[in-house]
Amino acid sequence: MYQAPDTRKSARPLPQRRLMGLLSGALGVGVALILAVSWQVSRQAGLGSALAWLGAGSVVLLAVSLLFLRELGHQRDAQQRMERALHDSRRRLLAQQQAWHELRNLQHEAGDSDFYSSVLSSTARLMNVPRVSIWLLDDETMTCQASLDDAQVGEQLPIERLDGYLGALRESPGLASVEAQQDPRLACLNDYLVKHDVVSMLDAGIFVGGELRGILCCESLLTRRWHAEEVSCLIAVSGLVSQFAESLRRRAAEQDLHRHLHYDDVTGLPTLRGLDASLERHLEAGRFHLGVLRIGGLSQINETLGQRGGDQALSLIAQHLQRYMDLTLSGIDLARLPSNRLVLVMPDTTRDVAHQLLAELLETLNAHPWWVDNQAYQLQFALGIASYPDHSDSVEQLLQRAELALKEARHDTRHGVAFYASELSEWQQRQNLLERELREAIRSRQFCLYLQPQFDRMGALRGAEMLLRWQHPERGLIGPGGFIHEAERSGLIRPIGNWVLEQAGQLLAGPLADSQLRLSVNVSVQQLRDEDFVPRIARLINKHAIAPGRLTLEVVESLLLTPGISLQLKALRDLGVELSLDDFGTGYSSLRYLQDFRVDEIKLDKVFIDVLQQRDDAPLARSIIALAKTLGLKLVAEGVETAFQLEYLSRHGVDLVQGYHLAHPEPVANFLTRLQTDPRQIDHG
């Protein structure tokens, strides 16, 4: 909070009464001396000499009195001037405090233009200057963002020529100059100062994230000596502008993430997450149909024209569907699924009517030529449908059953539409078989672990993520995508996850004991729901005598929405275990969740940096990196597959990276052998 300097100590009352007393005493002493000398002279030299002495003494006494009185007048005038200056200073400080509080309240409500306008007008009033402006910095230029002089807005100065000026602001937050055109710190601004007739200048830096990102500038066309309280006031106001800029950056990052989570960049359609409100409406209605639409032939366009061509085709399809729905099938909601699929949510109608309407839609889509880069392509569409609540009362299971129906629809060359039927539940039989095989895998220890190394920006090995594999006796090595879902559905994820944690403890206490390498382990919602999970982690740490900070537990974003999970997460952090938010930005993330559920790091999902294979920038990745820095979180980027991605992420301050470009996941034995072969890779702290 801005506090004005205390000026009360400067209020020293002048000693007028003491001076009057001294003057009276001196006059009394003087009169006594004159009378004494005159009497003595009259005795020795006669009355005439005595009168002469008496007259001379009186003149001297009168002169001394006049001198005393003049000094007393000077003292009185000085006191009055000081009192006026003190009064003016207190008035200025009161106005400064009032303006500061008004701006602080405004920064939480106003948009950037309104806030900047208020800052300019308040600063001009407080400083009594005609020119106030706000300048923002980027990598190449310093640009006037707002000014009392409208003609100045948009003016740019090249950063490369401003080293002395910007360096002075970085060293001290306030820069006051009485003779600006002769100030060596401002030599690089001389052309600007002459152009605008600036004589005196007072500037304060605007710092965002610890970096100088702007300047609040006061300029006087007359010589001006800046008071200390004016410098302090401008620094305080620039601090408010810094806070406002920081909040704008957070707001923009959250808006970018929200848009990415809820809307597809290619088609403009909602994602499944963005369809939540529509699904709630349909659920309240009690009955609806959910369809999964597959678009066949996109791979040919991608192979011929690249990803850009495929994206263009998807955009055309989305536009065509929206027009068709508006004209023919009003009330149907559309959303984008990953890959080449869309979701349709249709209000309740009979199965026959729904089948007929959707078959007509597919007939139109299949007959339509899709023009991409002046080439016509024929695409194949198929639609699988499941009905709520007939086929399931769970949206997730409806999607699964619509996918099953889609497989059947792809074989229906006539209509391309199929409803889910119980005969399609072969997948359920396969799931039952998979569950039995998983139980056998646990019993006979068919699971094994792979480690994917994690490196810092300098290329030093800092740890690894533990990845589960299943060495199936018939199907060979199976990745987690082939069995984790069934393990979670059946509850077998608990014993499997406990085994992984035990292996992590043994590694940290054994082969990695002499290093500072950390291990990251994925944990599921079901594990965290167990009342014994936190005590189990505590026992694991004590049993193996490992530093808890070397164990990182990775949780998915959806976990943050699970009721009652906050206490478990807090208990884990109290143990010293680090928490990592996995696949950040792909699920339910928002600043509110990051603030309510404290974590130590976030993992930037591969999808955000894949764009760097076609472009030279990844705006969403930059937003997440900025968000992590703002919140003081470590950031791990996964899925790094090219040197350019690595260079880009390192340049923007990512803490740790992992991916095929650096190292593939490898068996534990291979990981340890590599460390033994090249011990320099181990971080010994």
Side-chain angles (χ1 to χ4, degrees), residues 586-605:
T586 62
Y588 300 87
S589 59
S590 76
L591 285 179
R592 181 171 65 83
Y593 295 130
L594 288 180
Q595 290 165 349
D596 292 348
F597 304 91
R598 292 298 301 161
V599 296
D600 301 281
E601 73 177 27
I602 56 179
K603 296 194 75 173
L604 181 64
D605 190 71

Side-chain angles (χ1 to χ4, degrees), residues 488-510:
E488 291 179 340
R489 189 194 67 80
S490 62
L492 295 176
I493 193 66
R494 293 183 177 91
I496 295 173
N498 292 339
W499 177 80
V500 174
L501 286 167
E502 176 61 29
Q503 297 303 304
Q506 291 180 16
L507 277 172
L508 291 170

Side-chain angles (χ1 to χ4, degrees), residues 163-177 185-186 202-207 212 214-216 231-232 234-235 238:
D163 288 346
Y165 168 63
L166 298 179
L169 281 171
R170 290 188 180 101
E171 291 178 5
S172 176
L175 191 159
S177 180
R185 299 171 298 174
L186 306 178
L202 174 60
D203 289 2
I206 299 170
F207 292 84
L212 181 66
I215 298 102
L216 177 58
V231 178
S232 298
L234 192 69
I235 292 174
S238 73

Side-chain angles (χ1 to χ4, degrees), residues 42 130 184 289 354 466 592 665 679:
S42 67
H289 305 293
M466 301 189 74
R592 181 171 65 83

Side-chain angles (χ1 to χ4, degrees), residues 334-495:
L334 289 172
R336 171 83 192 276
L337 286 178
S339 188
N340 60 345
R341 283 164 163 73
L342 302 177
V343 168
L344 288 77
V345 184
M346 186 178 189
D348 182 40
T349 184
T350 65
R351 175 169 172 162
D352 290 341
V353 170
H355 190 283
Q356 179 182 347
L357 293 174
L358 295 173
E360 291 173 358
L361 167 63
L362 259 66
E363 184 178 353
T364 302
L365 293 173
N366 284 317
H368 188 83
W370 303 96
W371 289 88
V372 182
D373 274 5
N374 297 319
Q375 298 182 54
Y377 291 88
Q378 206 69 34
L379 301 176
Q380 301 82 44
F381 295 82
L383 179 65
I385 309 166
S387 301
Y388 177 91
D390 298 341
H391 299 142
S392 177
D393 57 2
S394 159
V395 173
E396 182 179 358
Q397 197 166 56
L398 274 181
L399 276 171
Q400 293 175 349
R401 295 189 170 179
E403 287 277 6
L404 287 172
L406 177 60
K407 294 178 181 179
E408 180 70 16
R410 293 175 63 184
H411 300 296
D412 183 355
T413 56
R414 181 182 176 189
H415 299 296
V417 178
F419 274 81
Y420 171 80
S422 57
E423 303 85 58
L424 299 175
S425 291
E426 294 179 2
W427 71 273
Q428 186 67 58
Q429 299 176 14
R430 291 194 298 270
Q431 296 301 101
N432 293 339
L433 173 61
L434 182 58
E435 181 180 341
R436 291 195 298 271
E437 291 179 331
L438 281 172
R439 293 185 184 279
E440 175 60 25
I442 295 171
R443 190 189 65 79
S444 57
R445 300 182 180 180
Q446 295 173 8
F447 293 108
C448 59
L449 291 171
Y450 275 50
L451 298 180
Q452 181 159 31
Q454 296 175 334
F455 302 87
D456 64 18
R457 294 196 297 269
M458 305 304 295
L461 182 65
R462 296 297 180 182
E465 180 180 3
M466 301 189 74
L467 303 173
L468 186 63
R469 299 289 186 266
W470 180 9
Q471 190 63 54
H472 195 281
E474 297 176 0
R475 289 181 279 157
L477 195 65
I478 303 175
F483 61 90
I484 284 295
H485 179 74
E486 176 57 28
E488 291 179 340
R489 189 194 67 80
S490 62
L492 295 176
I493 193 66
R494 293 183 177 91

Side-chain angles (χ1 to χ4, degrees), residues 62 90 108 122 146 150 170 365 426 470 491 515 558 610 630:
L62 179 61
R90 286 177 173 171
H108 301 296
S122 296
D150 292 338
R170 290 188 180 101
L365 293 173
E426 294 179 2
W470 180 9
S515 75
S558 57
D610 279 347
T630 300

Side-chain angles (χ1 to χ4, degrees), residues 26 134 136 168 268 322 360 380 492 513 538 558 571 603 625 631-632 643 662:
I134 296 173
L136 299 183
Q322 287 174 318
E360 291 173 358
Q380 301 82 44
L492 295 176
S558 57
K603 296 194 75 173
I625 294 170
L631 296 176
L662 298 156

Side-chain angles (χ1 to χ4, degrees), residues 18-34:
R18 290 181 58 194
L19 284 173
M20 291 293 293
L22 289 173
L23 178 59
S24 300
L27 288 173
V29 171
V31 169
L33 286 173
I34 291 171

